[in-house]
Amino acid sequence: MAVVVMKFGGTSVASIDRIRNVARHVKREIDAANQVAVVVSAMAGHTNQLVAWVREAALLHDAREYDAVVASGEQVTAGLLAIALQSMGIPARSWQGWQIPIVTDNAHGAARILEVRADDIRQRLSQGEVAVVTGFQGLEPDRNRVSTLGRGGSDTSAVAIAIALGADVCDIYTDVDGVYTSDPRIVPTARRLPRISYEEMLEMASLGSKVLQTRSVELAMVYRMRTRVLSSFADAEAVQPVRSGSEWQDIGTIVCDEEEIVESQVVSGIAYAKDEAKVTIVKVADKPGVAASIFGPLAEASINVDMIVQNLSADGKHTDMTFTVVASELPKTLEVLQAASNGIGYSEIKSSADVVKVSVIGVGMRSHAGVAAQMFRALAEKGINILAITTSEIKISVLINAAYAELAVRTLHTLYGLDKD
Ligand code: ADP
Ligand code: ASP
Ligand code: MG
């Protein structure tokens, strides 16, 4: 008998029919005598609609009320799935974040899970009842309010619950049958990766592959929670139920330790992120302290700066400073720089959200030289100009004009031998 956490995303619960299909996946595990906790997202598009209504009500709104509204989508699907399971003769009960509770900090809209008090659920599971848990939601205990975990946060709910329950596996069911070498929606030749290391998945997620929320991978990595990504669209009976300690059927992707991956390539995947914005501060003094005068005020305003490029100084006295921030923070960034203009001293500020960050990721880069050089050459051959570069041990990211995003991703996918045969 195994303890299994199964998470179903928005498209997997988009209609009553789809919810019945989810119930069949759950039944398979129950029939195999497993204990099952299910985590559900809101129906596809529902959270977007809720967010749009909040914005329409007031562009600047109270974050606690934003959470009160957007957390509601998951309540619907959790109840519906519990009903679908019951009507198949499977004992099931829905649980909202506050009922468990899943305790979070007070960063409404992007809260972090502090603790999952899973005792009640654990007891119900041992009695053969399925716990259907709302993803995305938590409880902020100081003010006793509902909190949400940021977009895509149901993945994180699932991994956190799996850790709290000491589950054998956390299965993330979605609309693709695994993690691919690149987003299959824009790279038709992308291949499913049977396994990917926690480190690589973490980079892929944080660099734009939204198949898993970054925080969920972070948690899985820290607690070594075996996490699988697989399709809910597969026939429920064609999937083998989870069995403790047995071999895994080669469906989906297993996120696991690097040592468990036999065949690995230098580059495992290509990610892209469209939510970047570029800021250039023109003609700042080329002297010690200028970077601090720019990035100090931004840090104080909690604005995360990603890529930074300082141009060569033509006259030895002045230079331009270019950096990127998340596009949604561009207005705030410009405000902060305006307010700090006396301290910085510049002639003008240019900005553009018409950029994307394209990244190549692979643990093999640790032991292979020349990956970056190959990348820059291939992009140059396609006439793609690189606006900024950052690297770490297992990734290289470049900032380019948004118009070239797909061309760049496909070019690099072919360059590193990732195209399927
Ligand atoms: P869910 O609603 O189930 O949480 P998401 O839309 O959040 O689903 O995530 C699944 C989507 O992630 C896929 O449809 C795919 O377009 C996208 N995606 C981006 N990068 C990748 C990748 N490398 N591998 C698989 N899917 C990816
Ligand atoms: N429903 C939430 C969202 O759309 C959470 C999730 O799907 O993971 O962001
Ligand atoms: Mg998702």
Side-chain angles (χ1 to χ4, degrees):
M1 186 198 66
V3 177
V4 185
V5 171
M6 309 171 80
K7 179 259 172 176
F8 294 89
T11 25
S12 306
V13 293
S15 67
I16 302 301
D17 252 9
R18 300 291 320 150
I19 289 175
R20 281 204 193 98
N21 171 63
V22 166
R24 282 194 287 276
H25 279 280
V26 176
K27 182 171 188 303
R28 178 191 66 234
E29 299 299 328
I30 290 293
D31 287 349
N34 287 332
Q35 295 185 9
V36 185
V38 190
V39 175
V40 286
S41 292
M43 289 180 169
H46 196 148
T47 310
N48 286 348
Q49 174 67 77
L50 296 169
V51 171
W53 278 335
V54 171
R55 293 211 176 115
E56 193 183 331
L59 215 45
L60 278 179
H61 44 256
D62 185 307
R64 277 169 258 159
E65 298 312 332
Y66 167 93
D67 277 354
V69 177
V70 302
S72 65
E74 274 69 11
Q75 181 173 346
V76 174
T77 43
L80 288 172
L81 179 58
I83 292 170
L85 287 165
Q86 288 167 359
S87 69
M88 289 165 75
I90 299 169
R93 186 59 63 207
S94 70
W95 296 78
Q96 292 183 52
W98 62 267
Q99 287 171 310
I100 297 177
I102 295 173
V103 181
T104 74
D105 64 13
N106 62 7
H108 282 278
R112 280 169 82 95
I113 297 178
L114 302 176
E115 193 190 352
V116 179
R117 298 192 193 133
D119 294 347
D120 287 351
I121 287 193
R122 196 177 293 115
Q123 207 207 332
R124 300 287 191 102
L125 295 191
S126 66
Q127 293 163 2
E129 188 175 283
V130 175
V132 185
V133 182
T134 51
F136 189 48
Q137 305 182 352
L139 169 76
E140 189 280 289
D142 291 344
R143 294 196 182 97
N144 205 23
R145 311 261 354 153
V146 165
S147 54
T148 64
L149 310 179
R151 297 307 306 272
S154 296
D155 299 329
T156 303
S157 312
V159 174
I161 289 165
I163 292 164
L165 290 174
D168 292 82
V169 67
C170 180
D171 277 344
I172 309 277
Y173 289 82
T174 181
D175 57 359
V176 272
D177 64 348
V179 178
Y180 277 64
T181 47
S182 194
D183 187 346
R185 280 190 212 175
I186 75 152
V187 184
T189 54
R191 273 190 288 124
R192 175 173 62 87
L193 294 161
R195 292 182 177 227
I196 186 169
S197 68
Y198 292 114
E199 283 87 342
E200 287 169 317
M201 191 64 239
L202 187 60
E203 292 283 9
M204 293 269 283
S206 67
L207 295 168
S209 301
K210 297 206 169 111
V211 59
L212 289 177
Q213 199 198 33
T214 306
R215 179 73 186 134
S216 72
V217 188
E218 236 166 53
L219 279 180
M221 183 161 112
V222 169
Y223 291 90
R224 288 311 194 246
M225 173 51 63
R226 183 174 285 270
T227 303
R228 274 196 304 180
V229 176
L230 57 182
S231 169
S232 72
F233 288 74
D235 181 9
E237 283 73 39
V239 180
Q240 280 170 15
V242 173
R243 287 216 171 77
S244 272
S246 75
E247 280 293 303
W248 300 92
Q249 194 182 357
D250 184 22
I251 51 165
T253 298
I254 303 175
V255 189
C256 59
D257 272 320
E258 209 175 311
E259 292 74 47
E260 294 180 60
I261 301 171
V262 193
E263 256 181 82
S264 73
Q265 291 192 289
V266 179
V267 170
S268 303
I270 320 270
Y272 67 97
K274 288 190 165 154
D275 55 349
E276 298 271 317
K278 177 179 73 128
V279 179
T280 301
I281 309 184
V282 181
K283 231 176 165 193
V284 291
D286 192 11
K287 62 170 196 209
V290 70
S293 72
I294 295 169
F295 299 115
L298 292 174
E300 269 163 40
S302 304
I303 294 170
N304 262 327
V305 173
D306 180 15
M307 307 170 117
I308 302 176
V309 185
Q310 183 177 341
N311 292 6
L312 267 184
S313 172
D315 59 3
K317 291 184 196 139
H318 295 99
T319 179
D320 294 349
M321 190 79 87
T322 296
F323 59 89
T324 62
V325 293
V326 174
S328 60
E329 296 203 311
L330 181 58
K332 193 167 151 198
T333 302
L334 298 177
E335 244 171 62
V336 171
L337 293 174
Q338 196 75 49
S341 62
N342 284 342
I344 305 169
Y346 55 79
S347 76
E348 65 169 318
I349 294 180
K350 294 182 193 163
S351 68
S352 158
D354 223 9
V355 289
V356 294
K357 183 169 64 176
V358 176
S359 309
V360 304
I361 296 124
V363 288
M365 277 185 219
R366 288 198 196 113
S367 48
H368 281 78
V371 180
Q374 267 182 306
M375 177 181 194
F376 303 152
R377 201 176 313 119
L379 294 175
E381 277 166 13
K382 298 281 177 189
I384 301 171
N385 193 26
I386 298 173
L387 309 170
I389 302 168
T390 52
T391 65
S392 78
E393 210 189 9
I394 65 161
K395 73 116 201 277
I396 306 158
S397 302
V398 295
L399 190 75
I400 60 171
N401 278 326
Y404 295 111
E406 295 189 7
L407 177 64
V409 173
R410 288 180 189 157
T411 300
L412 298 174
H413 199 266
T414 306
L415 175 71
Y416 295 112
L418 299 176
D419 290 347
K420 70 178 166 209
D421 314 316

mmCIF file of all heavy atoms in Angstrom, residues 124-152:
data_model
loop_
_atom_site.group_PDB
_atom_site.id
_atom_site.type_symbol
_atom_site.label_atom_id
_atom_site.label_comp_id
_atom_site.label_asym_id
_atom_site.label_seq_id
_atom_site.Cartn_x
_atom_site.Cartn_y
_atom_site.Cartn_z
ATOM 1 N N ARG A 124 -8.157 10.326 8.130
ATOM 2 C CA ARG A 124 -9.226 9.988 7.178
ATOM 3 C C ARG A 124 -8.699 9.048 6.093
ATOM 4 O O ARG A 124 -9.387 8.120 5.683
ATOM 5 C CB ARG A 124 -9.776 11.247 6.505
ATOM 6 C CG ARG A 124 -10.370 12.264 7.440
ATOM 7 C CD ARG A 124 -11.721 11.805 7.988
ATOM 8 N NE ARG A 124 -12.355 12.929 8.661
ATOM 9 C CZ ARG A 124 -13.334 13.659 8.138
ATOM 10 N NH1 ARG A 124 -13.839 13.365 6.955
ATOM 11 N NH2 ARG A 124 -13.836 14.676 8.805
ATOM 12 N N LEU A 125 -7.472 9.336 5.611
ATOM 13 C CA LEU A 125 -6.903 8.480 4.556
ATOM 14 C C LEU A 125 -6.780 7.045 5.058
ATOM 15 O O LEU A 125 -7.079 6.093 4.331
ATOM 16 C CB LEU A 125 -5.514 8.973 4.122
ATOM 17 C CG LEU A 125 -5.385 10.328 3.433
ATOM 18 C CD1 LEU A 125 -3.995 10.489 2.845
ATOM 19 C CD2 LEU A 125 -6.423 10.534 2.354
ATOM 20 N N SER A 126 -6.360 6.916 6.314
ATOM 21 C CA SER A 126 -6.159 5.554 6.839
ATOM 22 C C SER A 126 -7.496 4.819 6.986
ATOM 23 O O SER A 126 -7.536 3.598 7.058
ATOM 24 C CB SER A 126 -5.400 5.589 8.164
ATOM 25 O OG SER A 126 -6.219 6.214 9.132
ATOM 26 N N GLN A 127 -8.586 5.589 6.995
ATOM 27 C CA GLN A 127 -9.913 4.945 7.038
ATOM 28 C C GLN A 127 -10.457 4.681 5.631
ATOM 29 O O GLN A 127 -11.618 4.310 5.461
ATOM 30 C CB GLN A 127 -10.908 5.834 7.796
ATOM 31 C CG GLN A 127 -10.580 5.966 9.277
ATOM 32 C CD GLN A 127 -11.298 7.156 9.937
ATOM 33 O OE1 GLN A 127 -12.066 7.857 9.292
ATOM 34 N NE2 GLN A 127 -11.020 7.363 11.210
ATOM 35 N N GLY A 128 -9.638 4.964 4.626
ATOM 36 C CA GLY A 128 -10.049 4.673 3.251
ATOM 37 C C GLY A 128 -10.808 5.805 2.578
ATOM 38 O O GLY A 128 -11.373 5.633 1.499
ATOM 39 N N GLU A 129 -10.821 6.968 3.211
ATOM 40 C CA GLU A 129 -11.521 8.118 2.595
ATOM 41 C C GLU A 129 -10.529 8.900 1.738
ATOM 42 O O GLU A 129 -9.381 9.098 2.137
ATOM 43 C CB GLU A 129 -12.076 9.015 3.708
ATOM 44 C CG GLU A 129 -12.978 10.121 3.198
ATOM 45 C CD GLU A 129 -13.598 10.914 4.354
ATOM 46 O OE1 GLU A 129 -14.548 10.412 4.975
ATOM 47 O OE2 GLU A 129 -13.116 12.030 4.633
ATOM 48 N N VAL A 130 -10.995 9.348 0.576
ATOM 49 C CA VAL A 130 -10.154 10.199 -0.277
ATOM 50 C C VAL A 130 -10.291 11.644 0.203
ATOM 51 O O VAL A 130 -11.405 12.119 0.425
ATOM 52 C CB VAL A 130 -10.590 10.098 -1.760
ATOM 53 C CG1 VAL A 130 -9.798 11.074 -2.625
ATOM 54 C CG2 VAL A 130 -10.432 8.680 -2.270
ATOM 55 N N ALA A 131 -9.169 12.325 0.379
ATOM 56 C CA ALA A 131 -9.213 13.748 0.723
ATOM 57 C C ALA A 131 -9.047 14.546 -0.560
ATOM 58 O O ALA A 131 -8.035 14.394 -1.261
ATOM 59 C CB ALA A 131 -8.104 14.081 1.709
ATOM 60 N N VAL A 132 -10.037 15.369 -0.889
ATOM 61 C CA VAL A 132 -9.924 16.220 -2.076
ATOM 62 C C VAL A 132 -9.619 17.636 -1.589
ATOM 63 O O VAL A 132 -10.460 18.273 -0.950
ATOM 64 C CB VAL A 132 -11.219 16.220 -2.910
ATOM 65 C CG1 VAL A 132 -10.993 17.018 -4.193
ATOM 66 C CG2 VAL A 132 -11.665 14.807 -3.233
ATOM 67 N N VAL A 133 -8.406 18.103 -1.867
ATOM 68 C CA VAL A 133 -7.939 19.359 -1.291
ATOM 69 C C VAL A 133 -7.906 20.452 -2.361
ATOM 70 O O VAL A 133 -7.457 20.218 -3.484
ATOM 71 C CB VAL A 133 -6.519 19.175 -0.698
ATOM 72 C CG1 VAL A 133 -6.021 20.454 -0.056
ATOM 73 C CG2 VAL A 133 -6.503 18.020 0.295
ATOM 74 N N THR A 134 -8.365 21.626 -2.001
ATOM 75 C CA THR A 134 -8.262 22.771 -2.898
ATOM 76 C C THR A 134 -6.793 23.152 -3.046
ATOM 77 O O THR A 134 -6.111 23.379 -2.054
ATOM 78 C CB THR A 134 -8.977 23.992 -2.294
ATOM 79 O OG1 THR A 134 -8.490 24.155 -0.950
ATOM 80 C CG2 THR A 134 -10.475 23.826 -2.268
ATOM 81 N N GLY A 135 -6.295 23.214 -4.271
ATOM 82 C CA GLY A 135 -4.945 23.720 -4.477
ATOM 83 C C GLY A 135 -4.936 25.230 -4.305
ATOM 84 O O GLY A 135 -5.980 25.854 -4.103
ATOM 85 N N PHE A 136 -3.726 25.820 -4.321
ATOM 86 C CA PHE A 136 -3.607 27.275 -4.494
ATOM 87 C C PHE A 136 -3.908 28.076 -3.228
ATOM 88 O O PHE A 136 -3.492 29.213 -3.099
ATOM 89 C CB PHE A 136 -4.539 27.685 -5.636
ATOM 90 C CG PHE A 136 -4.459 29.092 -6.149
ATOM 91 C CD1 PHE A 136 -3.249 29.688 -6.463
ATOM 92 C CD2 PHE A 136 -5.629 29.817 -6.370
ATOM 93 C CE1 PHE A 136 -3.210 30.987 -6.986
ATOM 94 C CE2 PHE A 136 -5.610 31.101 -6.895
ATOM 95 C CZ PHE A 136 -4.388 31.685 -7.201
ATOM 96 N N GLN A 137 -4.655 27.454 -2.274
ATOM 97 C CA GLN A 137 -5.133 28.221 -1.109
ATOM 98 C C GLN A 137 -4.386 27.886 0.159
ATOM 99 O O GLN A 137 -3.976 26.768 0.370
ATOM 100 C CB GLN A 137 -6.556 27.845 -0.752
ATOM 101 C CG GLN A 137 -7.605 27.920 -1.748
ATOM 102 C CD GLN A 137 -8.932 27.540 -1.099
ATOM 103 O OE1 GLN A 137 -8.983 27.101 0.042
ATOM 104 N NE2 GLN A 137 -10.000 27.740 -1.833
ATOM 105 N N GLY A 138 -4.314 28.873 1.045
ATOM 106 C CA GLY A 138 -3.826 28.616 2.394
ATOM 107 C C GLY A 138 -4.575 29.476 3.383
ATOM 108 O O GLY A 138 -5.560 30.145 3.030
ATOM 109 N N LEU A 139 -4.094 29.448 4.610
ATOM 110 C CA LEU A 139 -4.681 30.275 5.668
ATOM 111 C C LEU A 139 -3.577 31.129 6.262
ATOM 112 O O LEU A 139 -2.516 30.613 6.639
ATOM 113 C CB LEU A 139 -5.263 29.374 6.765
ATOM 114 C CG LEU A 139 -5.660 30.106 8.053
ATOM 115 C CD1 LEU A 139 -6.969 30.864 7.859
ATOM 116 C CD2 LEU A 139 -5.780 29.134 9.216
ATOM 117 N N GLU A 140 -3.818 32.451 6.325
ATOM 118 C CA GLU A 140 -2.864 33.348 6.982
ATOM 119 C C GLU A 140 -3.380 33.487 8.419
ATOM 120 O O GLU A 140 -4.443 34.085 8.631
ATOM 121 C CB GLU A 140 -2.835 34.668 6.208
ATOM 122 C CG GLU A 140 -1.735 35.615 6.637
ATOM 123 C CD GLU A 140 -2.072 36.378 7.901
ATOM 124 O OE1 GLU A 140 -2.945 37.262 7.833
ATOM 125 O OE2 GLU A 140 -1.464 36.090 8.965
ATOM 126 N N PRO A 141 -2.691 32.876 9.389
ATOM 127 C CA PRO A 141 -3.304 32.698 10.705
ATOM 128 C C PRO A 141 -3.435 33.991 11.532
ATOM 129 O O PRO A 141 -4.374 34.096 12.319
ATOM 130 C CB PRO A 141 -2.366 31.706 11.410
ATOM 131 C CG PRO A 141 -1.080 31.807 10.688
ATOM 132 C CD PRO A 141 -1.370 32.243 9.306
ATOM 133 N N ASP A 142 -2.550 34.969 11.352
ATOM 134 C CA ASP A 142 -2.598 36.151 12.219
ATOM 135 C C ASP A 142 -3.908 36.899 12.070
ATOM 136 O O ASP A 142 -4.533 37.306 13.036
ATOM 137 C CB ASP A 142 -1.423 37.095 11.924
ATOM 138 C CG ASP A 142 -0.118 36.462 12.358
ATOM 139 O OD1 ASP A 142 -0.200 35.471 13.133
ATOM 140 O OD2 ASP A 142 0.948 36.904 11.900
ATOM 141 N N ARG A 143 -4.334 37.083 10.822
ATOM 142 C CA ARG A 143 -5.609 37.773 10.596
ATOM 143 C C ARG A 143 -6.718 36.787 10.266
ATOM 144 O O ARG A 143 -7.829 37.197 9.954
ATOM 145 C CB ARG A 143 -5.472 38.787 9.469
ATOM 146 C CG ARG A 143 -4.550 39.945 9.794
ATOM 147 C CD ARG A 143 -4.829 41.039 8.780
ATOM 148 N NE ARG A 143 -3.978 42.201 8.934
ATOM 149 C CZ ARG A 143 -2.870 42.396 8.229
ATOM 150 N NH1 ARG A 143 -2.474 41.506 7.357
ATOM 151 N NH2 ARG A 143 -2.154 43.490 8.404
ATOM 152 N N ASN A 144 -6.367 35.480 10.242
ATOM 153 C CA ASN A 144 -7.366 34.455 9.994
ATOM 154 C C ASN A 144 -8.034 34.628 8.616
ATOM 155 O O ASN A 144 -9.260 34.599 8.496
ATOM 156 C CB ASN A 144 -8.428 34.512 11.106
ATOM 157 C CG ASN A 144 -9.119 33.179 11.272
ATOM 158 O OD1 ASN A 144 -8.555 32.151 10.905
ATOM 159 N ND2 ASN A 144 -10.328 33.194 11.803
ATOM 160 N N ARG A 145 -7.202 34.877 7.598
ATOM 161 C CA ARG A 145 -7.738 35.131 6.260
ATOM 162 C C ARG A 145 -7.240 34.086 5.267
ATOM 163 O O ARG A 145 -6.152 33.534 5.432
ATOM 164 C CB ARG A 145 -7.307 36.521 5.730
ATOM 165 C CG ARG A 145 -7.493 37.662 6.635
ATOM 166 C CD ARG A 145 -8.711 38.509 6.436
ATOM 167 N NE ARG A 145 -9.555 38.254 5.297
ATOM 168 C CZ ARG A 145 -10.850 38.542 5.291
ATOM 169 N NH1 ARG A 145 -11.441 39.053 6.362
ATOM 170 N NH2 ARG A 145 -11.579 38.332 4.232
ATOM 171 N N VAL A 146 -8.019 33.900 4.206
ATOM 172 C CA VAL A 146 -7.595 33.023 3.111
ATOM 173 C C VAL A 146 -6.425 33.681 2.380
ATOM 174 O O VAL A 146 -6.434 34.893 2.149
ATOM 175 C CB VAL A 146 -8.763 32.827 2.118
ATOM 176 C CG1 VAL A 146 -8.272 32.234 0.806
ATOM 177 C CG2 VAL A 146 -9.822 31.941 2.720
ATOM 178 N N SER A 147 -5.434 32.880 2.028
ATOM 179 C CA SER A 147 -4.315 33.393 1.233
ATOM 180 C C SER A 147 -4.191 32.540 -0.030
ATOM 181 O O SER A 147 -4.698 31.424 -0.066
ATOM 182 C CB SER A 147 -3.017 33.311 2.037
ATOM 183 O OG SER A 147 -2.818 31.991 2.508
ATOM 184 N N THR A 148 -3.513 33.064 -1.062
ATOM 185 C CA THR A 148 -3.238 32.233 -2.242
ATOM 186 C C THR A 148 -1.739 32.249 -2.543
ATOM 187 O O THR A 148 -1.020 33.157 -2.137
ATOM 188 C CB THR A 148 -4.027 32.672 -3.496
ATOM 189 O OG1 THR A 148 -3.612 33.980 -3.879
ATOM 190 C CG2 THR A 148 -5.526 32.625 -3.261
ATOM 191 N N LEU A 149 -1.307 31.229 -3.270
ATOM 192 C CA LEU A 149 0.124 30.919 -3.389
ATOM 193 C C LEU A 149 0.771 31.448 -4.660
ATOM 194 O O LEU A 149 1.888 31.068 -4.971
ATOM 195 C CB LEU A 149 0.316 29.403 -3.346
ATOM 196 C CG LEU A 149 -0.362 28.658 -2.192
ATOM 197 C CD1 LEU A 149 -0.097 27.158 -2.306
ATOM 198 C CD2 LEU A 149 0.159 29.177 -0.851
ATOM 199 N N GLY A 150 0.082 32.301 -5.412
ATOM 200 C CA GLY A 150 0.635 32.773 -6.684
ATOM 201 C C GLY A 150 0.162 31.866 -7.803
ATOM 202 O O GLY A 150 -0.155 30.696 -7.572
ATOM 203 N N ARG A 151 0.148 32.411 -9.036
ATOM 204 C CA ARG A 151 -0.400 31.658 -10.172
ATOM 205 C C ARG A 151 0.340 30.333 -10.361
ATOM 206 O O ARG A 151 1.556 30.269 -10.235
ATOM 207 C CB ARG A 151 -0.347 32.499 -11.450
ATOM 208 C CG ARG A 151 -1.192 33.783 -11.400
ATOM 209 C CD ARG A 151 -2.646 33.554 -11.002
ATOM 210 N NE ARG A 151 -3.362 32.580 -11.803
ATOM 211 C CZ ARG A 151 -4.026 32.868 -12.927
ATOM 212 N NH1 ARG A 151 -4.070 34.105 -13.361
ATOM 213 N NH2 ARG A 151 -4.658 31.926 -13.595
ATOM 214 N N GLY A 152 -0.425 29.319 -10.647
ATOM 215 C CA GLY A 152 0.158 27.979 -10.791
ATOM 216 C C GLY A 152 0.432 27.305 -9.452
ATOM 217 O O GLY A 152 1.062 26.254 -9.389
#
